[in-house]
Amino acid sequence: MYKRQVTQQDLQTDVLVVGAGLGGIAAALAAAGRGARVVLTEEHPWIGGQLTSQAVPPDEHPWVERFGVTARYRSLRDGIRDVYRRRHPLTSTAHAWPALNPGAGWVSKLCHEPRVAVGVLEEMLAPYRSAGRIRLLELVRPTSATTDGDRVTSVTLTSVADGPGVTVSAAYTIDATETGELLPLTGTEYVTGFESSAETGEPSAPEKAQPDNVQALSVCFALDHVDGDHTIDRPARYDFWRSYAPPAWQGERLLSWTAPNPRTLDLEERTFTPNPGDDPLAVDADQSKNAGDGNLWLFRRIAARDLLEPGFRDSDLCLVNWPSIDYFLDHVLDVPREVSDARIADARQLSLSMLYWMQTEAPRPDGGTGYPGLRLRPDVMGSADGLAQAAYHRESRRIRAVTTVTENDVSHAVRGESGATRYDDSVGVGMYRIDLHPSTGGDTYIDVPSTPFEIPLGALLPRRTTNLLAGNKNLGTTHITNGCYRLHPVEWNAGEAAGHLAAHCLATGHVPHEVQEKPELLADYQRELTATGVELRWPEGETYPY
């Protein structure tokens, strides 16, 4: 049998972006748009990270249709809607819906199938790839790095398939991985888990640091409901997960329709009604008004059949990303690869166990049990087993940053009507509740009102390393503020600001810390950001906490 020879490549570029999630793609587009040569890398079959390979519909603030995101992020959203209008047999009313929500899910104003976003992101990259400004290295992950003093000089990436490894040298490197993988490889100082109140001054922080106390990860999946028996094989870990009753569930089992209300912590029973025949045009996906999780089928629905011509789809598509699949037995940061792989495999067993419970044991409103018509959709997930290609990591390693955003900067309970901390070096805006899921230390939800906030440039800069920038959830937040800085548009904005900064520094000869420290250099950089459609401030009087 012929076996392809595996060789090692050596590449040199202006900007290396490791991780092609939303932050990484935004970084690559921004750097290439300013003339830099970029190498962009991705471990999983799909680019797009939490929006695609992790299959999480975009969690966004209530004003997203009018302001509060970058122009490039808005282009992504517009592109997704455009695909549905051009290629899907929408009803005339749905086609004319200006804020088309293809899934009519309650969690987001733009619930949609992940594969559609992959195509739009590929289209956004296409002109730069064609021109040779962006080179995408697929199915590789970082395994080592070299440094010279406070500078990163190269990163070596290993194929996760039968392909060559590659070592990339770059003037600037952006860590846009999902868990801050470059930080330990480059010796860049970082923190994991819960900081202490003595360090951060946060009212919700514990007295002592808890570095192993990390938010739950989840392995999502998509379902439809059609005629027939589509019950999967009984998962190997089903007996364990069927009986598991975490403390936050107050005696109830994790595999159930019951879970804590994240905001009140009271146990609540959700409903589950496949294909309920609701009016998708009546869905008002605004979590400041309604958390939207009362009916789990509708909560993260990613395809609403009643927005399409009658008979085109047999069923809606429901995306399962619910409390019942949150994996918080242990974390996957700073443990050997085989340990993290085993824990993620266990999280996949949890997701399959929830599906099997729904198919065989879940109570139905008619008094029966089980929904055997629930069908896993590997084609929608782009995976062999029907689960998302990658785990959804809510929390990453985080750089020890020049500026660290704390609870005292964004919490409405702390800030009141004065609003979030204003930063002279703002490089963008964001908004979401401080939303922390149950964690590996045994904590329950922290889900409290935030106030519209800014992204300081100092949060993208490590205190010491001079040419490594944060471009994902690894920016300078705490365990608590990660809960509102970890969402799709904020990740994109952080990555876009990092990519633009790297190209700006290449063009001007300045270094990132110098740009952040010197007002005249900062002003030049911020003018460039604004010119490309990055919003640095929230409009006065247009927003409110939720």
Side-chain angles (χ1 to χ4, degrees):
M1 179 178 178
Y2 174 75
K3 182 174 176 62
R4 178 161 54 90
Q5 184 178 7
V6 177
T7 59
Q8 179 72 33
Q9 300 180 62
D10 292 307
L11 299 176
Q12 194 281 327
T13 192
D14 296 327
V15 181
L16 169 63
V17 182
V18 182
L22 292 181
I25 291 172
L29 290 171
R34 207 184 181 285
R37 295 177 302 119
V38 179
V39 170
L40 173 66
T41 78
E42 175 53 37
E43 176 177 353
H44 300 286
W46 284 351
I47 62 172
Q50 61 177 320
L51 190 64
T52 60
S53 61
Q54 298 167 39
V56 180
D59 290 301
E60 300 169 332
H61 55 72
W63 316 284
V64 66
E65 299 296 338
R66 296 188 290 136
F67 51 76
V69 296
T70 77
R72 284 190 175 97
Y73 185 80
R74 190 168 302 285
S75 178
L76 166 63
R77 299 179 87 254
D78 291 345
I80 290 168
R81 284 182 172 142
D82 181 59
V83 170
Y84 280 93
R85 289 196 177 98
R86 286 187 296 108
R87 298 300 183 191
H88 291 241
L90 298 172
T91 65
S92 58
T93 308
H95 192 280
W97 186 8
L100 174 63
N101 188 347
W106 285 86
V107 75
S108 170
K109 296 178 185 296
L110 191 61
C111 286
H112 61 279
E113 297 156 85
R115 190 185 297 275
V116 174
V118 176
V120 175
L121 292 166
E122 291 275 11
E123 186 178 78
M124 293 174 76
L125 291 175
Y128 298 102
R129 295 181 69 182
S130 177
R133 290 193 186 184
I134 294 177
R135 179 170 180 176
L136 176 62
L137 304 180
E138 300 176 273
L139 299 179
V140 295
R141 63 180 181 87
T143 50
S144 64
T146 61
T147 59
D148 182 4
D150 294 335
R151 290 182 56 80
V152 177
T153 52
S154 72
V155 175
T156 296
L157 302 111
T158 300
S159 174
V160 298
D162 182 21
V166 59
T167 295
V168 184
S169 301
Y172 287 95
T173 296
I174 297 173
D175 184 349
T177 61
E178 299 299 320
T179 55
E181 293 177 49
L182 294 189
L183 304 184
L185 296 180
T186 60
T188 300
E189 291 77 10
Y190 65 93
V191 62
T192 62
F194 230 142
E195 297 89 344
S196 69
S197 58
E199 177 183 352
T200 67
E202 295 173 306
S204 300
E207 289 186 8
K208 294 183 178 180
Q210 300 171 3
D212 292 335
N213 192 358
V214 176
Q215 278 195 78
L217 62 82
S218 299
V219 179
C220 305
F221 56 95
L223 301 167
D224 59 11
H225 187 265
V226 294
D227 291 339
D229 185 345
H230 303 281
T231 305
I232 62 171
D233 292 340
R234 184 184 179 96
R237 287 269 284 167
Y238 184 68
D239 289 343
F240 172 82
W241 287 116
R242 183 181 181 279
S243 62
Y244 181 60
W249 268 244
Q250 304 168 42
E252 294 288 335
R253 295 184 303 177
L254 184 64
L255 301 191
S256 68
W257 300 135
T258 302
N261 180 314
R263 303 183 186 186
T264 67
L265 304 185
D266 295 331
L267 284 185
E268 293 183 355
E269 185 170 350
R270 275 68 169 186
T271 62
F272 181 75
T273 311
N275 298 314
D278 63 312
D279 178 4
L281 292 167
V283 171
D284 182 13
D286 183 342
Q287 292 191 57
S288 68
K289 300 175 183 176
N290 182 346
D293 60 349
N295 184 329
L296 292 173
W297 181 268
L298 302 177
F299 183 36
R300 295 181 185 271
R301 181 172 56 183
I302 57 174
R305 65 177 179 175
D306 290 330
L307 289 177
L308 305 173
E309 293 295 339
F312 187 77
R313 294 192 77 110
D314 294 331
S315 171
D316 296 341
L317 280 176
C318 171
L319 194 284
V320 177
N321 180 14
W322 308 333
S324 53
I325 66 164
D326 277 5
Y327 183 84
F328 40 79
L329 289 190
D330 218 328
H331 68 89
V332 297
L333 303 179
D334 294 339
V335 296
R337 181 79 180 193
E338 60 270 20
V339 174
S340 64
D341 286 349
R343 291 173 180 172
I344 291 175
D346 201 25
R348 299 180 84 83
Q349 280 287 302
L350 168 58
S351 295
L352 291 171
S353 295
M354 180 59 183
L355 171 59
Y356 187 77
W357 176 82
M358 288 192 288
Q359 291 173 323
T360 61
E361 296 190 59
R364 300 195 309 259
D366 64 5
T369 56
Y371 294 86
L374 291 175
R375 180 174 61 172
L376 204 57
R377 291 294 301 269
D379 54 328
V380 174
M381 294 290 96
S383 66
D385 63 4
L387 304 181
Q389 296 171 13
Y392 171 37
H393 296 278
R394 293 181 176 86
E395 188 169 345
S396 170
R397 302 173 182 88
R398 303 179 299 279
I399 59 170
R400 293 283 188 185
V402 170
T403 304
T404 298
V405 180
T406 73
E407 182 181 6
N408 298 317
D409 294 311
V410 299
S411 166
H412 185 252
V414 175
R415 303 295 303 180
E417 297 309 310
S418 62
T421 297
R422 296 285 296 267
Y423 296 101
D424 291 338
D425 64 341
S426 174
V427 295
V429 297
M431 176 59 183
Y432 206 73
R433 289 174 66 87
I434 298 175
D435 173 11
L436 290 98
H437 283 233
S439 59
T440 56
D443 293 315
T444 188
Y445 291 92
I446 298 176
D447 192 326
V448 296
S450 179
T451 189
F453 54 79
E454 297 171 356
I455 306 168
L457 176 56
L460 308 184
L461 306 181
R463 295 175 186 172
R464 180 185 58 81
T465 313
T466 60
N467 69 333
L468 178 71
L469 304 173
N472 201 318
K473 295 183 286 286
N474 53 355
L475 76 170
T477 60
T478 65
H479 173 81
I480 294 171
T481 55
N482 165 76
C484 58
Y485 274 71
R486 64 179 172 82
L487 291 314
H488 302 66
V490 181
E491 178 192 337
W492 181 283
N493 194 325
E496 185 167 345
H500 196 103
L501 178 63
H504 173 86
C505 289
L506 283 166
T508 62
H510 301 299
V511 296
H513 292 74
E514 186 182 17
V515 172
Q516 194 266 343
E517 292 165 359
K518 295 184 178 181
E520 67 279 9
L521 301 183
L522 176 64
D524 288 342
Y525 166 62
Q526 288 174 318
R527 276 193 292 270
E528 291 181 2
L529 285 179
T530 301
T532 62
V534 177
E535 300 177 20
L536 305 184
R537 310 285 179 201
W538 286 97
E540 294 292 338
E542 286 279 356
T543 58
Y544 50 89
Y546 74 92

